[in-house]
């Protein structure tokens, strides 16, 4: 996990430790680090920020040893995440019963599986969740949630294929209110072809549902595509928090950092397997210590 970005930082620290007092040579190494970070799925503007902050620390005399270098880099990364804030989804759900969660993301990123994982998490914490299949155009979308429903025992609300997704979501809210469900997890369309129809569809769902939290699901293995998807959905309807899937198989490592910086929104969970309990709260310090081990 995170092998590439870890190697980039280790290589930089090893090389820079012996030339800390030569700003010219250090600047050259920082430029190399920037390229290595971009190759590890760190968005260019994030790599630029890290480089600029590092040089500033050198100029201010804060870097006089290998340990200083390590500490400054860690602080830079932690501050990126701190600016994005943090959210406990369970607290959001407890404060807003019935809690309406809308899930966003393109097809193939593990969105329906993530919905089922979050539903299981909510049930384990005392909620009565209902999954809602509001992706009414993609063949198999409803069937996927039905399979998760059969495996987890958590009910799913469906509509007719081709029907208005916002209407399905609205009917689900009425159904949930009359049946005592206190958490709705609403799936939405994520056609790979991004067009104005999809944007209008998502905007209508959000307008009708009035969600308490909008969760974007991205696949870490798609690298820069995940970052562009984050930009798209945030610009289209806004994103409150992000789940990054397939983290357990992800070598590059830069996607969580890039998303936190670019969106200014927290990464709330990491998918680390296919099991329904393979959803970990994203821990900033664990992530930073993983890629910059002492």
């Amino acid at each position: 996990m995170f092998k590439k970005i870890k190697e980039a930082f280790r290589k930089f620290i090893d090389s820079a430790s012996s030339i800390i007092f030569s700003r010219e040579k250090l600047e050259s190494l920082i430029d190399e680090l920037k390229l290595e970070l971009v190759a590890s799925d760190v968005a260019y503007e994030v790599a630029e920020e890290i480089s600029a902050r590092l040089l500033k620390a050198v100029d201010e005399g804060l870097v006089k040893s290998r340990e200083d270098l390590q500490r400054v880099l860690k602080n830079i990364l932690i501050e990126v995440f701190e600016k994005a804030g943090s959210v406990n989804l369970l607290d959001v759900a407890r404060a807003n019963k019935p809690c309406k969660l809308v899930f966003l993301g393109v097809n193939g990123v593990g969105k329906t599986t993530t919905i089922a994982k979050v539903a299981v998490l909510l049930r384990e914490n005392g909620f009565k969740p209902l999954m809602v299949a509001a992706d009414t155009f993609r063949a198999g979308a409803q069937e996927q949630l039905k399979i998760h429903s059969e495996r987890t025992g958590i009910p799913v609300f469906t509509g007719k294929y081709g029907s208005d997704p916002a209407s399905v979501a609205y009917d689900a809210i009425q159904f949930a209110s009359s049946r005592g469900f206190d958490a709705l997890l609403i799936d939405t369309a994520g056609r790979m072809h991004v067009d104005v129809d999809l944007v209008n569809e998502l905007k209508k769902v959000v307008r009708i549902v009035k969600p308490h939290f909008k969760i974007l699901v991205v696949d870490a293995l798609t690298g820069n595509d995940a970052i562009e998807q984050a930009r798209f959905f945030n610009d289209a309807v806004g994103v409150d928090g992000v789940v990054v899937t397939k983290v357990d198989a992800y070598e590059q490592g830069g996607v969580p950092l890039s998303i936190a910086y670019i969106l200014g929104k927290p990464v709330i969970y990491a998918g680390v397997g296919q099991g329904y309990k393979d959803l970990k709260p994203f821990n900033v310090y664990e992530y930073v210590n993983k890629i910059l081990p002492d």
Side-chain angles (χ1 to χ4, degrees), residues 149-177:
S149 176
E150 291 167 4
R151 291 174 178 170
T152 63
I154 295 171
V156 59
F157 185 94
T158 62
K160 292 182 179 178
Y161 272 113
S163 57
D164 180 22
S167 295
V168 173
Y170 178 82
D171 290 343
I173 293 169
Q174 305 310 306
F175 176 84
S177 297

Side-chain angles (χ1 to χ4, degrees), residues 98-102 130 132 157 166-181 184 186 205-211:
C99 184
K100 295 170 288 187
L101 307 174
V102 166
L130 175 68
V132 181
F157 185 94
S167 295
V168 173
Y170 178 82
D171 290 343
I173 293 169
Q174 305 310 306
F175 176 84
S177 297
S178 64
R179 300 297 198 286
F181 291 98
L184 286 87
I186 301 166
V205 168
V206 168
R207 188 169 68 249
I208 296 297
V209 170
K210 296 181 175 61

Side-chain angles (χ1 to χ4, degrees), residues 13 28 46-47 51 62 72 91 93 98 100-101 113 138 144 158 174 181 196 203 205 207 215 259 267 278 294:
I13 290 172
S28 176
V46 189
S51 301
L62 300 176
V72 167
D91 288 344
K100 295 170 288 187
L101 307 174
T113 302
R138 180 170 66 89
Q144 281 182 310
T158 62
Q174 305 310 306
F181 291 98
V196 68
K203 285 181 175 178
V205 168
R207 188 169 68 249
I215 300 171
I259 285 175
V267 176
D278 291 333
D294 292 329

Side-chain angles (χ1 to χ4, degrees), residues 15-266:
S15 301
S17 295
S18 61
I19 56 162
I20 281 171
F21 297 107
S22 171
R23 190 193 191 281
E24 185 179 342
K25 289 180 181 178
L26 194 58
E27 191 171 355
S28 176
L29 282 177
I30 289 173
D31 284 340
E32 287 180 28
L33 172 65
K34 183 164 46 176
L35 295 177
E36 294 274 1
L37 292 178
V38 171
S40 299
D41 295 338
V42 175
Y44 185 78
E45 52 262 60
V46 189
E48 281 268 86
E49 172 77 3
I50 292 169
S51 301
R53 292 279 304 279
L54 195 50
L55 273 177
K56 184 171 183 283
V58 170
D59 290 339
E60 290 175 350
L62 300 176
V63 180
K64 296 179 180 178
S65 67
R66 181 189 183 91
E67 290 72 26
D68 289 342
L69 203 54
Q70 180 94 356
R71 177 180 48 78
V72 167
L73 278 169
K74 279 191 172 185
N75 287 341
I76 291 170
L77 300 187
I78 288 169
E79 283 179 25
V80 169
F81 287 106
E82 287 180 342
K83 283 182 180 178
S86 63
V87 174
N88 185 319
L89 191 63
L90 294 175
D91 288 344
V92 173
R94 291 185 187 107
N96 298 286
K97 290 187 178 182
C99 184
K100 295 170 288 187
L101 307 174
V102 166
F103 287 77
L104 309 164
V106 302
N107 299 333
V109 297
K111 182 155 51 84
T112 54
T113 302
T114 298
I115 290 171
K117 288 179 179 180
V118 175
V120 167
L121 176 69
L122 288 168
R123 183 177 62 187
E124 288 181 342
N125 283 272
F127 292 88
K128 186 180 177 182
L130 175 68
M131 300 185 291
V132 181
D135 182 354
T136 60
F137 293 100
R138 180 170 66 89
Q142 295 188 17
E143 281 71 21
Q144 281 182 310
L145 273 183
K146 285 178 182 176
I147 290 170
H148 289 306
S149 176
E150 291 167 4
R151 291 174 178 170
T152 63
I154 295 171
V156 59
F157 185 94
T158 62
K160 292 182 179 178
Y161 272 113
S163 57
D164 180 22
S167 295
V168 173
Y170 178 82
D171 290 343
I173 293 169
Q174 305 310 306
F175 176 84
S177 297
S178 64
R179 300 297 198 286
F181 291 98
D182 54 12
L184 286 87
L185 299 88
I186 301 166
D187 192 12
T188 60
R191 296 185 289 276
M192 289 300 290
H193 176 62
V194 174
D195 57 24
V196 68
D197 291 336
L198 173 60
V199 172
N200 290 336
E201 181 182 313
L202 293 174
K203 285 181 175 178
K204 186 176 180 182
V205 168
V206 168
R207 188 169 68 249
I208 296 297
V209 170
K210 296 181 175 61
H212 298 106
F213 206 80
K214 299 186 290 292
I215 300 171
L216 173 67
V217 182
V218 298
D219 178 348
L221 300 181
T222 62
N224 286 318
D225 281 348
I227 298 162
E228 291 310 309
Q229 290 160 21
R231 291 184 202 267
F232 165 73
F233 283 101
N234 195 47
D235 290 345
V237 293
V239 169
D240 298 313
V242 182
V243 175
V244 182
T245 66
K246 304 175 189 174
V247 168
D248 51 313
Y250 180 48
E251 288 192 349
Q252 275 71 18
V255 164
L257 179 67
S258 297
I259 285 175
Y261 182 89
I262 288 166
L263 295 193
K265 302 292 171 61

